Amino acid sequence: MTKAKLIPGFELGWADGVKRCVSPHFNARPDGEVSLLVIHNISLPAGCFGTPYIDQLFQGCLDIAADPSFNALKGLEVSAHYLIRRDGEVIQYVSCDERAWHAGVSSFRGRPGCNDFAVGIELEGTDNQGYTEPQYQHLLRLTLGLMARYPMLNLDAIVGHSDIAPGRKTDPGDCFDWSRYKRELTLNLSL
């Protein structure tokens, strides 16, 4: 597969060819800068895939009565820029030109407040279960597109949530294949 076939275009921070599910949980980036990519994981309820609850959470309309574990999410205002589902479907919630609320209390290379300058990609999954082939394929495609659109992004500025919030967060977990992901990125960037 050639690099050109992998890279989506962007208009006003929205990726071409992905589903939009707009979240109200965002605001303006203070400096308009995108220089960090943060990989997360999420499943609602924990370990359950293919449910509508992630969309509902990010849109601020999660029915907390749908599962007892959702009580802890009552009133939470959170979003990510993207979700990549187990089957590879990519959903965008917030324009990458805006600040999504995904990183929380965080720091990258001594700089606090990663939401200010990061794009957040959620993978539907858990820390202890492998990710799917379609997820890796679409993550690669999306990452290449983001790197083309935002030149401050580079291989050294792609991290897990656990890297920017150590001790507080563990995602994307030990089952995420960082070696494969970075190797495929490097290969495609050299084409």
Side-chain angles (χ1 to χ4, degrees):
M1 185 176 292
T2 66
K3 183 176 175 182
K5 291 182 182 177
L6 290 172
I7 299 177
F10 288 83
E11 185 174 334
L12 301 175
W14 294 94
D16 295 338
V18 303
K19 178 181 174 182
R20 287 188 193 179
C21 188
V22 179
S23 173
H25 303 148
F26 73 94
N27 55 6
R29 290 189 186 279
D31 300 317
E33 174 189 335
V34 175
S35 59
L36 181 66
L37 177 59
V38 180
I39 309 296
H40 304 261
N41 74 34
I42 190 170
S43 56
L44 290 177
C48 295
F49 307 131
T51 71
Y53 302 123
I54 299 169
D55 290 346
Q56 291 173 12
L57 175 66
F58 290 164
Q59 289 185 302
C61 61
L62 178 65
D63 177 7
I64 62 165
D67 188 88
S69 67
F70 294 171
N71 285 329
L73 303 174
K74 184 176 183 177
L76 184 66
E77 294 183 346
V78 65
S79 61
H81 292 92
Y82 298 97
L83 168 68
I84 303 176
R85 291 202 177 270
R86 305 291 289 177
D87 64 2
E89 179 184 32
V90 180
I91 303 166
Q92 186 169 3
Y93 300 93
V94 175
S95 163
C96 294
D97 292 344
E98 303 288 347
R99 176 173 50 191
W101 305 340
H102 58 96
V105 176
S106 55
S107 176
F108 180 66
R109 296 182 180 155
R111 184 176 177 191
C114 293
N115 284 339
D116 291 352
F117 54 94
V119 167
I121 299 177
E122 297 274 1
L123 299 174
E124 186 177 36
T126 67
D127 286 4
N128 55 11
Q129 186 171 355
Y131 296 93
T132 67
E133 185 63 28
Q135 285 180 300
Y136 282 110
Q137 290 172 4
H138 287 279
L139 178 60
L140 175 66
R141 177 183 179 270
L142 184 56
T143 303
L144 290 169
L146 289 166
M147 292 175 83
R149 171 70 174 87
Y150 301 99
M152 292 178 73
L153 282 178
N154 59 60
L155 290 174
D156 294 326
I158 300 173
V159 298
H161 199 185
S162 58
D163 298 312
I164 61 168
R168 188 174 70 82
K169 293 295 181 177
T170 57
D171 54 317
D174 292 336
C175 290
F176 184 74
D177 192 343
W178 283 105
S179 295
R180 171 194 174 167
Y181 174 53
K182 295 276 182 117
R183 183 177 59 250
E184 290 181 3
L185 281 173
T186 300
L187 177 67
N188 277 275
L189 289 169
S190 67
L191 293 177

